[in-house]
Amino acid sequence: MKTINRKILRNLWGMKGQVIAIALVIASGVATFIMSISTMQSLKLTQATFYKDYCFAEVFASLKRAPESLRLRIQKIPGIDRIETRVFAAVNIDIPGFPDPATGHIISIPDSGEALLNRLYLRQGRLPEPSREDEVVIGEPFAEAHDFKPGDKIGAVINSRRKSLTIVGIALSPEHIYQMPPGAVFPDFERYGVMWMGRAPLGTAYDLDDAFNNITLTTSPGANINDIIDRLDKLLKPYGGLGAYGRRDQLSHRYLSEEFRQLEQMATIFPVIFLGVATFLLSVVIGRLINLQREEVAVLKAFGYRKLDIGLHFVKLVLSIVLAGVILGIAGGFWLGKWMGTIYMEFYRFPFLKYELHPYVAVIAALVSAMAAILGTMHSLRKAALLPPAQAMRPEPPATYRETLPERLGLKRLLSQPTRMIVRHIGRRPVQSLLSVSGIAFACAIMMVGSFQGDAIDYMVDVQFGLSQREDLTVTFVEPTSRKALYNLKSIEGIEHGEVFRTVPVRLRSGHRSYRTAIQGLESGGDLQRLLNAELKTVALPPSGIALTDHLGDMLGVRAGDMLTVEVLEGSRPVFNVLVAALVSQYIGVSAYMDMSALNRLMREGNAISGVYLAADSQYLQEIFKKLKGIPHIAGTEIREKAIKKFYETMGETILIFTFINTFLAGIIAFGVVYNNARIALSERSRELASLRVLGFTRAEISYILLGELGILTLAAVPLGFLIGRGMCDYIAENLKTDLFRVPLILEANTYAFAATVVLVAACVSGLIVRRRLDHLDLIGVLKTKE
Amino acid sequence: MSKSADKETVVFKARKLTKVYDMGEVKVHALRGVDLELYSGELIVLLGPSGSGKSTLLNIIGGLDTATSGNVTYQEQDITMASDEELTNYRRFHVGFVFQFYNLIPSLTALENVAVVTEIAENPMNPAEALRLVGLGDRLDHFPAQLSGGEQQRVAIARAVAKNPEVLLCDEPTGALDFATGIIVLEVLERINRELGTATVLITHNADIAEMADRVIYLSDGLISRVRINGHKKSPRELRW
Ligand SMILES: Nc1ncnc2c1ncn2[C@@H]1O[C@H](COP(=O)(O)OP(=O)(O)O)[C@@H](O)[C@H]1O
Ligand SMILES: [Mg+2]
């Protein structure tokens, strides 16, 4: 090895604490980048593979009933590749030993041969025998939640008839990678399951022999999907078509796409912060190092080392630190990515996860880190390279200090001598002090981003289910029913209150914008479903016209007072215009609300109801469930509280893991900034401090002079961190806004407190490490050596 | 360019050298028109009080700095207008420096401090041999912090001579050393001048040291006030101050 390179190794070793601190910050940035990108790419690849190998459909539609012969006409739509007609039905599931009502969907699979589309990946067991009407394959998450194995039996209410079904297989489907009960907010693997059954027996059960009520298809390359959807819609309309849609609107696919967006965001925001902080640290540390080595550089130049040699020398030094960080970061990111993958597999059910880190991702991370580092230290590197050697041999003039603003304002007398030294030292390097403050502030901000999601979810749930949707149970009927059903339910012991509702699937249209949703017809004066205004105050349901979730209003480009076209997607599919009466606030999902009687008037169908919201005494829940299971035409019962609880249980662990990672990362930044600051301050001022010791200052006093400055910077950083953190959370919230959910910018006091605590603890730890060095300050040695 | 060439070969020639440091409000005239020759193989002492411009002169002829006016030729080549690149090459291949505060690289051992220079030179000595030449053959792996001032300065000399330079420029090499140690360092310089024939310029403000020179050049206030040819060259051992 060339001697000049050996110098690099020795220099690195000499400041190993700082090198480690900076390398860790770089590693954190690289790791978050690698983790997010690799997880996203792996998920995308897995998704694409699963979609392709198991023939995930591109267009989906449900309808009431159409003869199988309609298929031939559909086939004629240009651009269609494969078509699969199916029977698709909602079922109530009865699980032995599990009292809660569970619902699900049962989907037909062809009796012979492989399915053309949405094929099943069998995890265990086999497909149902074509002739058997009691055999089903069930989805993996549902099976896991109840520990089902092939051979187990479950009960199901199929078309109002109770049936005992034997589980013969456990499977995954590209159509149900993310399994959510329709209209629900959270996945609930215990109370919602997807099942598959042979086409013939399922068709018989639903009077759909030689007919279908669901169709999926793929298109040939280059086909115009929107055109196909339109044409399919027209063909299905007479058969009770509920509107066809593409993958974009397919629930499982949508959730996955949202997840990818979040990962993408994470892959930019976090690495940018970390690299920014690392760049700043490098610029300060390398700047200081080069200042200390002025004379060494001058000697090397005196002996004929060229500008380029000197520049490259320090570039190598910088890059060694970056390299350490990058290697650590890649390893860490790889490990975290694999781990993230397994966490995702809890929610997103793929048959396998091909976790892959593309080398080019690592290369990009390395190049970007290296470039940031070089840019950050460019000023110092140039200075070293261009250093005039003759001048560098002369000792540097003493640093210039000035009286600072507070002193000039006459506060001088109030400040003790050591305090004045602190204030002047900060004032001497305003830019560096400011950057230190920003660095620490970012640590605080990262902490807040970590906790923010938890706070926001709590708040969303509180608002949605505390203020707005206050029912304990929702009972949905198989078909619109008369109001009488309400009285049957109300007579069950423990039911305190009930309010009916009518759900009408619609496509809302304004100009060229449209959105598929359902209008919720609510009882006027109802108490279980409340509409909230922007201040989250309850507002009355407008007697006529429609109320839209504010986000839906934005999506459609309408405001209160505008007119909106409603295309009903069921029955005779009437089309009418309504007035947008109000925009209401809602964080989860988007919806349209109307007074039920107004809705029924428009639908011209009297007092039909789709279901009932119930308030129940929780003591009686078990009995209520039992009774409900006995009522035949109930399509499903949803229990909010249990679903939320279950969700929190699953999410709790994930949130904890992310909080831990964030705390760790923020700790690294805080430590990196504070520790480096302290070390540099120590190196710059050890002579001064040693002189003070010789003059009789105590250890405590000189510690105060050095660490007091860091204390002030850290304290100044915390409020700034709060501001930055809020801004970052706001940015994230704004970017995550979708019709699935809008994360409100909610930050609880304990989030602020926790963030500040982590930063202060990191600062104290760094302070203590430096303090130990201060205690061992070599008084004579320091004074003897020439700086 | 043989160093054993007769003593009338001119290594350096400086004509009307001036150097002005522009300090904004004030201009410091460090050199006010200096004429000087250095012959091959000779040892000259630049004598003058602090602030008289000795270091400035040395830096200019060593290619560390450039003059404000006048010109310097090195072996018939004008280096006054040389580019930074040419000056670097000039220092790399022809000049060896010894500084008052040794300026060793603290993170490198004695051997490495020499090697860092020989690695970029054209026709260097073996670094260990250079250290043996200054009597430090047994201290090769010591770091500067483990060496006394005199030993550090000898390492610095080994570093300067290891590249086999034509000239050795020493700026107060004994300035930071006590008498006895200073003598040892001067003996090393004298021996190198004698045995290797390296033309040597030695700066000092100590008139006694001038007794070991072939020629003594007195500098005061940026001008050469006197040049004395030393008929009776003393060996460093005979010096007293
Ligand atoms: N880089 C510089 N900037 C400003 N003034 C300088 C610089 N280098 C030297 N001087 C001034 O030039 C004069 C000569 O300095 P120098 O050559 O170092 O003297 P000597 O080496 O004889 O003590 C002094 O007055 C000194 O202050
Ligand atoms: Mg001098």
Side-chain angles (χ1 to χ4, degrees), chain A residues 751-763:
Chain A
T751 294
Y752 287 104
F754 186 48
T757 307
V758 168
V759 168
L760 293 179
V761 166

Side-chain angles (χ1 to χ4, degrees), chain B residues 119-141:
Chain B
E119 277 168 7
I120 58 165
E122 251 170 356
N123 186 19
M125 289 179 207
N126 178 318
E129 192 184 310
L131 281 165
R132 273 192 284 275
L133 199 65
V134 298
L136 288 175
D138 52 345
R139 309 297 295 273
L140 304 183
D141 294 327

Side-chain angles (χ1 to χ4, degrees), chain A residues 60-64 88 213-215 236 239-245 569:
Chain A
F60 309 79
S62 278
L63 53 144
K64 203 161 176 85
F88 189 102
N213 70 354
N214 181 276
I215 181 167
L236 295 181
Y239 302 95
L242 290 177
Y245 54 92
L569 297 176

Side-chain angles (χ1 to χ4, degrees), chain B residues 71-118:
Chain B
N71 68 316
V72 184
T73 53
Y74 169 76
Q75 294 181 338
E76 262 111 70
Q77 274 172 290
D78 195 335
I79 60 166
T80 327
M81 288 293 127
S83 66
D84 181 77
E85 177 79 30
E86 287 163 335
L87 282 183
T88 305
N89 276 335
Y90 165 60
R91 297 198 299 268
R92 178 183 286 219
F93 302 124
H94 305 294
V95 191
F97 288 98
V98 177
F99 305 102
Q100 177 176 359
F101 295 106
Y102 340 126
N103 290 87
L104 297 181
I105 294 174
S107 52
L108 298 179
T109 61
L111 187 72
E112 290 164 349
N113 261 288
V114 179
V116 81
V117 171
T118 56

Side-chain angles (χ1 to χ4, degrees), chain B residues 18 27 33 37 52 65 116-117 125 156 168 178 214 222 230 238:
Chain B
T18 71
K27 287 188 171 27
E37 284 94 26
S52 56
D65 207 348
V116 81
V117 171
M125 289 179 207
L168 195 54
D178 60 71
D214 292 311
N230 190 12
E238 298 169 88

Side-chain angles (χ1 to χ4, degrees), chain A residues 282-543:
Chain A
L282 274 173
S283 85
V284 175
V285 170
I286 298 299
R288 170 65 184 162
L289 181 80
I290 285 175
N291 261 347
L292 281 177
Q293 296 197 352
R294 269 166 63 89
E295 293 182 31
E296 291 177 44
V297 170
V299 162
L300 289 173
K301 287 196 143 187
F303 280 99
Y305 276 86
R306 306 194 163 92
K307 285 182 203 162
L308 192 68
D309 301 328
I310 301 293
L312 281 181
H313 176 68
F314 288 106
V315 165
K316 280 186 206 162
L317 188 122
V318 170
L319 289 186
S320 310
I321 301 176
V322 172
L323 189 71
V326 166
I327 290 176
L328 203 65
I330 290 175
F334 184 78
W335 181 75
L336 280 174
K338 272 194 121 145
W339 191 35
M340 279 269 276
T342 56
I343 292 177
Y344 274 115
M345 291 287 276
E346 275 287 307
F347 295 96
Y348 298 98
R349 295 300 177 132
F350 294 105
F352 41 77
L353 180 65
K354 280 193 196 165
Y355 180 76
E356 242 183 9
L357 170 59
H358 290 288
Y360 82 90
V361 176
V363 170
I364 288 175
L367 286 182
V368 171
S369 310
M371 259 167 50
I374 296 298
L375 280 179
T377 51
M378 193 46 106
H379 175 74
S380 302
L381 296 177
R382 261 180 63 93
K383 211 169 105 185
L386 300 180
L387 186 80
Q391 221 147 307
M393 290 295 181
R394 295 167 55 85
E396 259 193 293
T400 46
Y401 284 86
R402 290 188 307 150
E403 290 200 329
T404 55
L405 190 63
E407 288 177 285
R408 271 176 280 153
L409 288 177
L411 294 174
K412 189 168 178 176
R413 260 170 302 138
L414 297 179
L415 303 177
S416 69
Q417 197 57 47
T419 307
R420 268 182 240 171
M421 291 175 68
I422 292 177
V423 174
R424 279 181 204 162
H425 199 254
I426 293 176
R428 193 167 88 79
R429 293 237 183 89
V431 174
Q432 189 180 316
S433 301
L434 197 74
L435 287 175
S436 300
V437 168
S438 322
I440 304 170
F442 269 111
C444 188
I446 284 186
M447 274 315 304
M448 289 173 62
V449 171
S451 316
F452 154 64
Q453 316 242 10
D455 283 356
I457 291 176
D458 286 349
Y459 186 78
M460 282 159 80
V461 168
D462 281 355
V463 169
Q464 188 99 348
F465 303 116
L467 296 179
S468 178
Q469 305 176 359
R470 294 144 37 89
E471 74 282 0
D472 298 315
L473 298 172
T474 307
V475 170
T476 320
F477 299 113
V478 176
E479 266 182 298
T481 316
S482 92
R483 268 191 97 87
K484 265 191 288 178
L486 171 65
Y487 305 110
N488 287 338
L489 291 173
K490 268 190 172 169
S491 66
I492 298 175
E493 187 174 18
I495 300 281
E496 289 166 347
H497 179 59
E499 285 169 20
V500 298
F501 64 89
R502 170 82 175 100
T503 308
V504 177
V506 293
R507 181 179 276 123
L508 302 177
R509 210 180 269 285
S510 167
H512 63 279
R513 306 190 197 189
S514 72
Y515 189 79
R516 266 174 57 96
T517 180
I519 296 179
Q520 299 286 109
L522 302 176
E523 269 186 294
S524 63
D527 190 44
L528 293 179
Q529 289 279 318
R530 289 175 177 175
L531 303 185
L532 304 175
N533 65 12
E535 285 80 43
L536 301 184
K537 294 270 166 2
T538 311
V539 289
L541 182 67

